[in-house]
């Protein structure tokens, strides 16, 4: 089949691109860290007093005096074998830290991604349909206010209102303090997921809603909608038949392209809610000079954003019949 | 829907065939625009236009491109943009045609055949578009009707599942014509159906309209192609600068155009390649120009003082109507 061949080609090209991207990202981040005033020995021993002799031993162990290119190649060689080293903060392999943290974040990001996508799309459709009315103005104002709101600020407000004053939700973390892992229920975890997810969603709504609104207005003033009206179609039926059909694809694409903002938002939100996800780990790794963990997270986040963009491309090239056709005729 | 169509047909036959199916009287259309700051201006696009469409006849509305002819079609169907100001007396089948009635009967009694592929939803398969919005229980039946109509227009079964961008120009035209045939409408408005078609496809397309007229429909053919209009029309309305200057019978264009009434129509006839191929000087007045008298005054060879004061009224002459002071 032609289609299968095309998809294989597409995936092949994407993988090549991902590899070259990762090489560059790794190299640049490695060098940035190399030339930053980070002392791995100090990071390891913390405030413990050590003798000069002991320190020299540690320096040799951590390879402080090895030339940077050699260090990079050593690290890259190990990384290729799947060994990203041991996290200095957590004292367990980086892969284990990332696995655990990323799963926690994934739940948070998936929930807010879905929620903001659906809510934003619906708000955008309503605003576009009712263009110029008070509903439209209200939705637009809401979106502009949200688009101008810093993430951490909104997170703090929600935390103050819902956790502190109203006491509806726990204040932070992903599990209750002082409860053993076996005794943590799904509800415990779920209740702690709601506020961070809500913060992220509310912010994500603005972009998708404004985009959907703009796009729907464009579609509704198109020739084909005019013709549909001339043929007796009207109201909600018309919007459902022609509006949603033409707006959905670009909106979904945009939502996938938003993976980078989603990740950035997660870092801030996790910090405020002390939610033990990848974002919080990234901040901790940065502040406490955990180089192996920081590099590991950089790679994972680059892959994550790349994955989102690749899906957006895939949708455009293989779902939209117009682009499908163009490709075939070239 | 088929049953309903039959009933109206019987009703229509009961009435006098001589009565117009659609009467448009003194149609004026303007757009409200913001000029500078909050100052509003009114842009007059069509003024004092009158036409009548009869069952079994093709009326061609001929005028140059971009002169607002399409807006006439949109005005009849009630699909003008919200900043349009419409002032008209319209009658359909002897009843006043209000916006509510337009919304009620468009797509059923009145069908539009638009000009281009852009009027088809780019992401919807052709058969779904042609069938349109129907109740679920009728879908099977409509699908059959659609297949039959497509068969008649030589559209193969694989066209059903195509998307608009996969159609050729001629196929698009046939698909658009099919939408009108499917609707069993009594009044068909075709908006610029001919540009970009080769000779063969052009004649074919025109024959579809002739067929519709022969079946008792009233057809309004909006076009800038006077030659195409002459081939099939019964009457020709000459559209100039937002109004109709003359409605002539197609025979009037024969015999050196001697029976044509308005100086502009004659000039148009003279400009045709097969006649004298001579254009007159000047251009149509712009939409924002304010003209007191006859709209053709500037370019007219027969103008007199009366022509610069007030718009000439319609006069009936030799079975046609004309807006000119100097014809009798």
């Amino acid at each position: 089949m032609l289609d299968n061949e095309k998809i294989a080609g597409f995936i092949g090209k994407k993988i090549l691109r991902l590899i070259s991207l990762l090489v560059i990202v790794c190299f640049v981040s490695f060098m940035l860290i190399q030339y930053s005033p980070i002392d791995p020995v100090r990071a390891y021993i913390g405030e413990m007093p050590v003798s000069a002799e002991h320190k020299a031993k540690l320096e040799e162990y951590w390879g402080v005096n090895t030339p940077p290119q050699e260090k990079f190649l050593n690290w890259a060689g190990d990384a290729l074998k799947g060994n990203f080293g041991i996290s200095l903060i957590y004292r367990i392999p980086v892969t284990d830290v990332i696995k655990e943290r990323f799963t926690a974040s994934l739940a948070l990001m998936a929930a807010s991604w879905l929620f903001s996508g659906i809510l934003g799309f619906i708000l955008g459709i309503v605003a576009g349909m009712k263009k110029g009315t008070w509903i439209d103005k209200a939705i637009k104002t809401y979106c502009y206010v949200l688009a101008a709101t810093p993430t951490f600020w909104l997170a703090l407000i929600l935390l103050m209102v819902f956790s502190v004053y109203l006491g509806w939700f726990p204040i932070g973390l992903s599990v209750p303090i002082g409860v053993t892992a076996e005794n943590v229920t799904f509800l415990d975890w779920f209740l702690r997921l709601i506020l961070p997810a809500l913060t992220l969603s509310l912010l994500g709504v603005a972009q998708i809603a404004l985009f959907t609104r703009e796009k729907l207005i464009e579609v509704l003033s198109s020739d084909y909608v005019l013709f549909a009206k001339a043929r007796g179609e009207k109201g909600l039926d018309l919007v459902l038949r022609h509006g949603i059909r033409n707006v959905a694809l670009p909106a979904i694409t945009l939502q996938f392209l938003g993976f980078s903002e989603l990740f950035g938002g997660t870092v801030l939100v996790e910090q405020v809610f002390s939610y033990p996800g990848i974002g919080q780990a990234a901040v901790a790794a940065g502040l406490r000079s955990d180089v192996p963990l920081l590099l590991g997270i950089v790679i994972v986040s680059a892959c994550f954003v790349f994955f989102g963009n690749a899906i957006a491309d895939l949708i455009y090239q293989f779902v939209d019949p117009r682009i499908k056709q163009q490709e075939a005729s070239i | 829907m088929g049953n309903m169509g039959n009933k109206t047909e019987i009703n229509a036959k009961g009435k006098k065939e001589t009565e117009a199916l659609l009467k448009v009287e003194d149609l004026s259309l303007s757009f409200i625009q913001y000029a500078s700051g909050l100052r509003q201006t009114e842009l007059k696009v069509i003024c004092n236009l009158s036409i009548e469409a009869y069952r079994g006849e093709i009326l061609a509305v001929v005028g140059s491109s971009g002169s607002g002819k399409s807006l006439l079609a949109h005005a009849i169907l009630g699909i003008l943009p919200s900043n349009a100001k419409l002032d008209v007396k319209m009658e359909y089948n002897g009843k006043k045609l209000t916006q509510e009635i337009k919304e009620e009967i468009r797509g059923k009694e009145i069908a539009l055949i638009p000009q281009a592929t852009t009027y088809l939803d780019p992401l919807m398969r052709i058969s779904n578009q042609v069938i349109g919005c129907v109740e679920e229980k009728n879908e099977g039946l409509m699908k059959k009707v659609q297949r039959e109509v497509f068969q008649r227009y030589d559209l193969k079964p694989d066209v059903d599942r195509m998307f608009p961008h996969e159609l050729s120009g001629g196929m698009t035209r046939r698909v658009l014509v099919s939408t009108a045939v499917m609707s069993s409408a009594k009044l068909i408005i075709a908006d610029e159906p001919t540009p970009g078609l080769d000779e063969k496809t052009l004649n074919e397309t025109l024959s579809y309209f002739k067929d519709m007229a022969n079946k008792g429909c009233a057809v309004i053919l909006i076009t800038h192609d006077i030659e195409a209009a002459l081939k099939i029309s019964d009457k020709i309305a000459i559209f100039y600068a937002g109004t109709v200057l003359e409605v002539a019978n197609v025979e009037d264009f024969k015999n050196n155009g001697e029976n044509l009434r308005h100086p502009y129509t004659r000039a148009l006839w003279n400009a045709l390649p097969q006649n004298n191929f001579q254009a007159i000087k000047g251009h149509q007045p712009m939409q924002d120009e304010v003209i007191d008298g006859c709209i053709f005054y500037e370019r007219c060879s027969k103008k007199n003082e009366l022509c610069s004061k007030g718009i000439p009224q319609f006069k009936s002459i030799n079975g046609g109507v004309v807006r000119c002071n100097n014809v009798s």
Side-chain angles (χ1 to χ4, degrees), chain B residues 22 44-45 57 82 87 93 100 127-128 134 142 154 173 226 246 250 265 275 279-280 284 303 309:
Chain B
L22 178 79
K44 273 209 162 206
V45 187
E57 274 189 10
S82 56
D87 181 27
N93 215 355
E100 290 76 44
S127 78
N128 291 344
V134 288
M142 291 305 280
D154 196 25
R173 194 67 56 203
I226 191 164
E246 172 172 359
V250 73
T265 320
N275 302 334
I280 52 164
Q284 294 196 16
K303 63 188 163 198
K309 290 179 192 117

Side-chain angles (χ1 to χ4, degrees), chain A residues 172-232:
Chain A
L173 307 175
S174 74
V175 287
I177 297 173
V179 178
T180 50
E182 305 90 64
N183 294 333
V184 174
T185 59
F186 175 77
L187 193 70
D188 283 334
W189 170 77
F190 185 73
L191 279 177
R192 283 167 172 77
L193 185 68
I194 291 178
L195 274 190
L198 192 67
T199 313
L200 271 181
S201 316
L202 285 179
L203 290 167
V205 159
Q207 199 191 8
I208 194 83
L210 286 174
F211 175 82
T212 306
R213 174 185 177 274
E214 216 45 50
K215 194 80 196 158
L216 184 69
I217 289 171
E218 186 191 313
V219 167
L220 288 183
S221 61
S222 70
D223 286 345
Y224 54 88
V225 165
L226 194 71
F227 183 45
K229 275 189 202 159
R231 300 184 64 204

Side-chain angles (χ1 to χ4, degrees), chain A residues 80-92:
Chain A
L80 276 181
K81 287 180 212 138
N83 175 15
F84 288 85
I86 309 274
S87 159
L88 296 180
I89 318 175
Y90 301 99
R91 313 276 153 125
I92 48 170

Side-chain angles (χ1 to χ4, degrees), chain B residues 291-306:
Chain B
I291 291 160
D292 249 350
C294 173
I295 200 132
F296 190 59
Y297 182 75
E298 284 293 322
R299 302 168 78 184
C300 189
S301 53
K302 289 185 182 170
K303 63 188 163 198
N304 56 33
E305 210 177 316
L306 185 64

Side-chain angles (χ1 to χ4, degrees), chain A residues 30 81 98 130 136 176 186 201 216 244 247 272 284 308 324:
Chain A
F30 193 92
K81 287 180 212 138
I98 290 179
K130 306 271 178 199
D136 176 34
F186 175 77
S201 316
L216 184 69
I244 307 262
V247 174
V272 175
K324 230 163 120 184

Side-chain angles (χ1 to χ4, degrees), chain B residues 45-46 62-71 239-243 284 287:
Chain B
V45 187
I46 299 178
V62 179
S64 60
S65 305
S67 56
K69 302 188 304 286
S70 293
L71 290 169
F239 190 91
Y240 181 85
T243 195
Q284 294 196 16
Q287 277 145 353

